[in-house]
Amino acid sequence: MGEDTDTRKINHSFLRDHSYVTEADIISTVEFNHTGELLATGDKGGRVVIFQREPESKNAPHIQGEYDVYSTFQSHEPEFDYLKSLEIEEKINKIKWLPQQNAAHSLLSTNDKTIKLWKITERDKRPEGYNLKDEEGKLKDLSTVTSLQVPVLKPMDLMVEVSPRRIFANGHTYHINSISVNSDCETYMSADDLRINLWHLAITDRSFTDIVDIKPANMEDLTEVITASEFHPHHCNLFVYSSSKGSLRLCDMRAAALCDKHSKLFEEPEDPSNRSFFSEIISSVSDVKFSHSGRYMLTRDYLTVKVWDLNMEARPIETYQVHDYLRSKLCSLYESDCIFDKFECSWNGSDSVIMTGAYNNFFRMFDRNTKRDVTLEASRESSKPRAVLKPRRVCVGGKRRRDDISVDSLDFTKKILHTAWHPAENIIAIAATNNLYIFQDKVNSDMH
Amino acid sequence: MMFARGLKRKCDQEEGGEVFGSVPSYSLQRQSLLDMSLVKLQLCHMLVEPNLCRSVLIANTVRQIQEEMSRDGVWNGMVPQNAEPAPLDRLVSTEILCRTVRGPDGEHPAPELEEGPLQGPASELPTVNSTHGPRNPQSSLWEMDSPQENRGSFQKSLDQIFETLENKNPSSVEELFSDVDNSYYDLDTVLTGMMSGTKPGICNGLEGFAAAAPPPSSTCKSDLADLDHVVEILVET
């Protein structure tokens, strides 16, 4: 698959440096596994690259805990739908890890139409000393065999093997935007614009019923689509899905086979003072994530991130402005299609800090307890080796400090759509176009 | 509402309508937004299925604008009286559309626009050229939606879209969408140079929106002849 992708390394900042080369395609998804030991990225070219965290070494403590390439494979290939005369992109939309149940690791990767289950195994020993075959595997001349031996396992260079175990195809008419593994570890769901399917991990030739179907009888009546969905981290019967109108629906699979009657509808009433023709577009939820505790949900729309309490449907309990200075630019952002950019959001391990990306390679973090927020930049130029990331500021007129960026000089082609937070530690992965940044908080302080 | 009224600047070329040198009227801005949205809906990717979420959001925006225009009582009055490229003069460049209060950099597009379609009955297509000439960076609306190498065919598709905008007065969004596939049928035909009898797959993301069948081929052929003429004009300029 590629020496070129194996050379893709990661930029570490905060208090650490690492050599840095990236040649990969645009990264389209980033996901830590459940322990944080592995980090998977998918890209526009259909490839998956998995990074592994090096174990901390007593001999060389300064290189402890860095991520290096572990495996690279081609997950999806471009396809052509002859019936519709359309290309099916190989871009990986989402990767989700399965909880590890044995020595192997498994993950689901999906493009617009097909989900694949991959099994990742290591091989670090091989048998030697066969009686009938020689070292190269050729059959021995039996006359030379004078005694029998028992083959023994000898160590070899680590080999990581990846194989597709299941291919879940033909389940979706529309484009898949989310996949989510159930806490029961047996089922998972996949959501496209209009439907959500439930699959059993062992069965590929059919999915269970559509558990959600919002396709109207007459497509001319279509005004709302599904934008994201996720299973509850602890309750295997609960899941949430978000819509292009800014609402969340929490569904209970025990209630009915087809969950079009949501259990709870979460929706914030519109602010009449901010009303414009773009109100609906900017209210469309681009990502929804349950907190690790399962008590809250985090949503991202174009200008804000919001925290919702599962017990309060009327409005979010917290709202954070990501880049409110764009509110006066919505028209040109609509014209350039930037207004349709789908940003993701993440919780830290203790659910006290929220992170999301923005433009100009900026990403934002909000501390829910202190109510403080910070803007950081993911770029080679701005992060020197071993330097702590410098907070950035966008000025909107008025007093301008020295290192401020003005709104008009923001680069809207540099968007950070995909971010991930290590499940337990203060390590974050930021995808900036075709570059992957991993930032570690080396200071072993409390996790906020 | 959303567009703040700015101050009227002094401008030598300022004459006639309030478009020049000042913030355009709300109704002009609204109409421009409507036209921009319609074009966005129709200019889908050629090869890949269009993003349904984006299409739905744009369609809802169009609906909102139309509803407001109906409430204001201006919707029915929007049918152009002649076959002139009337929509073109409403396709104000983004600079003006998004202008609130502008400094010196806001001056640029207005004079250019004046040379174009607003000068009266020019022939149909050259006005398209001047509207998004290379000097005007703000007409990125057009460049944004088409790669450079497709400019030639893009001109043709613009013409078809404007025809659609001119000839139709969609009283409902459904009628509006019933035309989407048709335009694409034309576009597809023009680009490939062949008549295809099957429904195009390009705008399948909006498959449900289009109730109408593709147009009869005779319409297409006469359009092709017009377009050849148009291409000649463009090439010569």
Side-chain angles (χ1 to χ4, degrees):
Chain A
M1 295 298 132
E3 323 300 313
D4 50 330
T5 47
D6 280 345
T7 60
R8 179 167 74 176
K9 297 199 181 71
I10 315 98
N11 184 35
H12 290 219
S13 189
F14 274 157
L15 300 177
R16 152 171 268 82
D17 179 35
H18 196 76
S19 60
Y20 179 95
V21 171
T22 55
E23 286 147 16
D25 267 352
I26 295 172
I27 299 172
S28 49
T29 187
V30 187
E31 188 82 6
F32 281 100
N33 76 337
H34 296 273
T35 60
E37 182 209 353
L38 298 175
L39 174 68
T41 62
D43 67 23
K44 205 158 165 272
R47 284 166 304 192
V48 171
V49 180
I50 302 176
F51 299 88
Q52 183 186 44
R53 194 178 186 196
E54 295 304 320
E56 305 197 354
S57 154
K58 299 188 194 70
N59 299 334
H62 58 282
I63 55 168
Q64 66 191 350
E66 284 189 0
Y67 285 83
D68 286 314
V69 178
Y70 177 68
S71 170
T72 302
F73 60 96
Q74 187 76 32
S75 170
H76 286 71
E77 299 274 4
E79 286 172 45
F80 196 78
D81 182 340
Y82 289 96
L83 208 59
K84 293 183 181 179
S85 290
L86 290 173
E87 266 186 17
I88 298 173
E89 285 187 307
E90 67 275 29
K91 173 168 72 90
I92 308 295
N93 291 340
K94 284 285 179 328
I95 289 173
K96 285 282 149 70
W97 290 91
L98 269 54
Q100 191 176 8
Q101 286 169 330
N102 49 41
H105 295 279
S106 301
L107 60 78
L108 289 168
S109 67
T110 186
N111 68 348
D112 283 337
K113 297 284 186 179
T114 303
I115 306 137
K116 296 187 183 181
L117 174 65
W118 295 90
K119 191 164 174 189
I120 301 130
T121 48
E122 286 185 6
R123 192 197 293 226
D124 61 355
K125 298 183 186 51
R126 56 181 245 244
E128 279 180 18
Y130 283 107
N131 291 294
L132 298 178
K133 289 187 289 187
D134 66 14
E135 295 304 312
E136 281 112 52
K138 290 200 307 241
L139 285 176
K140 282 185 192 172
D141 180 357
L142 288 181
S143 59
T144 64
V145 179
T146 52
S147 63
L148 290 177
Q149 57 186 347
V150 177
V152 294
L153 290 174
K154 292 263 174 71
M156 59 178 260
D157 287 341
L158 178 67
M159 233 173 64
V160 179
E161 298 174 332
V162 180
S163 60
R165 295 301 253 217
R166 308 262 187 275
I167 298 182
F168 304 91
N170 303 318
H172 288 278
T173 308
Y174 303 96
H175 290 179
I176 298 173
N177 53 55
S178 318
I179 48 175
S180 178
V181 183
N182 202 341
S183 50
D184 66 7
C185 301
E186 289 184 352
T187 56
Y188 76 95
M189 68 153 137
S190 57
D192 66 31
D193 297 306
L194 298 180
R195 296 193 180 98
I196 302 182
N197 290 346
L198 185 70
W199 304 84
H200 198 287
L201 282 163
I203 301 168
T204 60
D205 57 351
R206 64 182 185 280
S207 62
F208 289 170
T209 54
D210 300 340
I211 50 176
V212 173
D213 187 339
I214 64 168
K215 184 177 177 186
N218 191 348
M219 276 293 272
E220 290 174 4
D221 300 330
L222 179 65
T223 57
E224 192 174 10
V225 300
I226 297 169
T227 51
S229 72
E230 195 181 47
F231 268 119
H232 191 279
H234 310 310
H235 303 300
C236 56
N237 56 301
L238 284 183
F239 66 93
V240 67
Y241 70 91
S242 60
S243 84
S244 56
K245 288 199 171 173
S247 62
L248 298 174
R249 286 171 177 81
L250 187 69
C251 301
D252 189 334
M253 293 197 292
R254 293 173 305 190
L258 184 60
C259 301
D260 49 358
K261 300 276 184 283
H262 45 266
S263 303
K264 289 189 182 181
L265 172 66
F266 297 77
E267 207 167 27
E268 184 173 26
E270 199 174 10
D271 175 10
S273 63
N274 263 334
R275 178 110 184 76
S276 77
F277 286 124
F278 304 114
S279 293
E280 185 185 307
I281 300 177
I282 63 170
S283 75
S284 174
V285 174
S286 52
D287 193 17
V288 62
K289 293 265 171 49
F290 279 104
S291 64
H292 292 89
S293 63
R295 286 182 51 201
Y296 304 107
M297 296 180 294
L298 180 65
T299 58
R300 174 69 154 100
D301 52 61
Y302 192 62
L303 297 179
T304 70
V305 281
K306 295 178 173 155
V307 178
W308 302 77
D309 186 317
L310 255 62
N311 296 316
M312 188 160 85
E313 295 136 83
R315 72 188 68 79
I317 57 170
E318 294 155 32
T319 300
Y320 301 95
Q321 302 295 331
V322 180
H323 38 203
D324 199 58
Y325 45 78
L326 296 183
R327 200 176 283 273
S328 57
K329 312 240 169 243
L330 291 179
C331 187
S332 44
L333 292 166
Y334 177 70
E335 185 228 7
S336 65
D337 266 13
C338 282
I339 208 175
F340 301 108
D341 286 336
K342 291 188 191 283
F343 293 93
E344 292 171 9
C345 52
S346 320
W347 296 91
N348 75 337
S350 62
D351 298 334
S352 58
V353 183
I354 294 161
M355 173 170 67
T356 190
Y359 292 108
N360 210 72
N361 279 348
F362 288 167
F363 58 100
R364 304 263 284 137
M365 289 191 191
F366 303 91
D367 188 318
R368 296 178 60 212
N369 298 327
T370 65
K371 300 301 181 201
R372 288 166 61 171
D373 63 83
V374 68
T375 303
L376 300 170
E377 183 175 359
S379 78
R380 279 182 255 189
E381 292 81 31
S382 73
S383 34
K384 297 202 186 79
R386 297 181 179 276
V388 176
L389 282 179
K390 189 174 62 175
R392 307 308 310 261
R393 208 173 87 109
V394 178
C395 71
V396 284
K399 277 190 292 199
R400 194 186 154 178
R401 293 186 215 150
R402 193 166 30 119
D403 289 325
D404 283 2
I405 313 270
S406 81
V407 184
D408 295 314
S409 46
L410 289 175
D411 188 343
F412 290 95
T413 63
K414 294 188 182 162
K415 40 194 104 178
I416 293 188
L417 303 173
H418 313 288
T419 62
W421 206 310
H422 189 287
E425 300 186 33
N426 275 350
I427 303 173
I428 56 178
I430 310 284
T433 317
N434 60 340
N435 299 333
L436 178 70
Y437 291 80
I438 298 186
F439 298 114
Q440 304 195 33
D441 187 1
K442 192 67 168 69
V443 178
N444 284 327
S445 55
D446 48 302
M447 267 219 306
H448 296 99
Chain B
M1 191 159 87
M2 128 186 94
F3 300 110
R5 282 193 172 267
L7 304 169
K8 221 167 183 207
R9 285 183 313 102
K10 282 202 176 121
C11 177
D12 289 343
Q13 283 140 321
E14 188 180 319
E15 51 184 281
E18 56 191 304
V19 168
F20 312 116
S22 69
V23 180
S25 69
Y26 173 74
S27 59
L28 177 65
Q29 291 176 334
R30 180 175 62 187
Q31 183 64 47
S32 302
L33 185 62
L34 176 65
D35 293 336
M36 188 208 295
S37 304
L38 293 175
V39 174
K40 271 184 177 304
L41 279 174
Q42 301 197 4
L43 289 174
C44 310
H45 257 279
M46 294 302 298
L47 283 177
V48 181
E49 213 162 354
N51 184 327
L52 186 62
C53 181
R54 175 180 173 275
S55 303
V56 167
L57 288 172
I58 298 173
N60 290 351
T61 307
V62 166
R63 214 179 263 116
Q64 273 184 65
I65 298 173
Q66 289 176 344
E67 280 167 9
E68 189 183 279
M69 288 168 103
S70 298
R71 282 197 304 271
D72 290 353
V74 299
W75 180 241
N76 290 329
M78 273 314 181
V79 180
Q81 295 308 311
N82 48 26
E84 290 300 327
L88 289 175
D89 63 359
R90 296 200 296 266
L91 280 162
V92 181
S93 79
T94 319
E95 175 76 15
I96 293 179
L97 172 67
C98 299
R99 188 189 307 167
T100 49
V101 178
R102 279 285 189 157
D105 50 318
E107 298 177 25
H108 203 56
E112 287 182 53
L113 207 60
E114 186 183 11
E115 289 158 13
L118 297 166
Q119 283 301 0
S123 66
E124 309 88 65
L125 254 290
T127 55
V128 176
N129 223 4
S130 59
T131 310
H132 57 292
R135 279 192 301 142
N136 188 347
Q138 290 300 329
S139 294
S140 48
L141 173 67
W142 309 118
E143 272 104 61
M144 209 68 78
D145 277 337
S146 74
Q148 280 298 323
E149 57 272 19
N150 285 343
R151 275 317 261 283
S153 48
F154 183 73
Q155 308 287 14
K156 301 178 200 174
S157 67
L158 275 182
D159 186 46
Q160 286 155 340
I161 288 162
F162 296 151
E163 256 191 283
T164 312
L165 290 174
E166 279 177 55
N167 297 335
K168 296 282 176 189
N169 177 24
S171 56
S172 69
V173 176
E174 292 75 28
E175 276 188 33
L176 174 72
F177 289 134
S178 70
D179 246 68
V180 170
D181 265 355
N182 298 347
S183 307
Y184 256 84
Y185 179 78
D186 294 343
L187 175 62
D188 190 45
T189 310
V190 163
L191 292 180
T192 59
M194 347 180 289
M195 306 302 286
S196 146
T198 59
K199 190 173 172 197
I202 294 166
C203 279
N204 257 7
L206 297 169
E207 61 191 324
F209 290 107
S217 43
S218 54
T219 318
C220 215
K221 283 204 162 86
S222 60
D223 287 346
L224 281 173
D226 287 343
L227 289 163
D228 284 343
H229 173 65
V230 155
V231 172
E232 276 171 45
I233 294 172
L234 291 172
V235 166
E236 279 162 26
T237 52

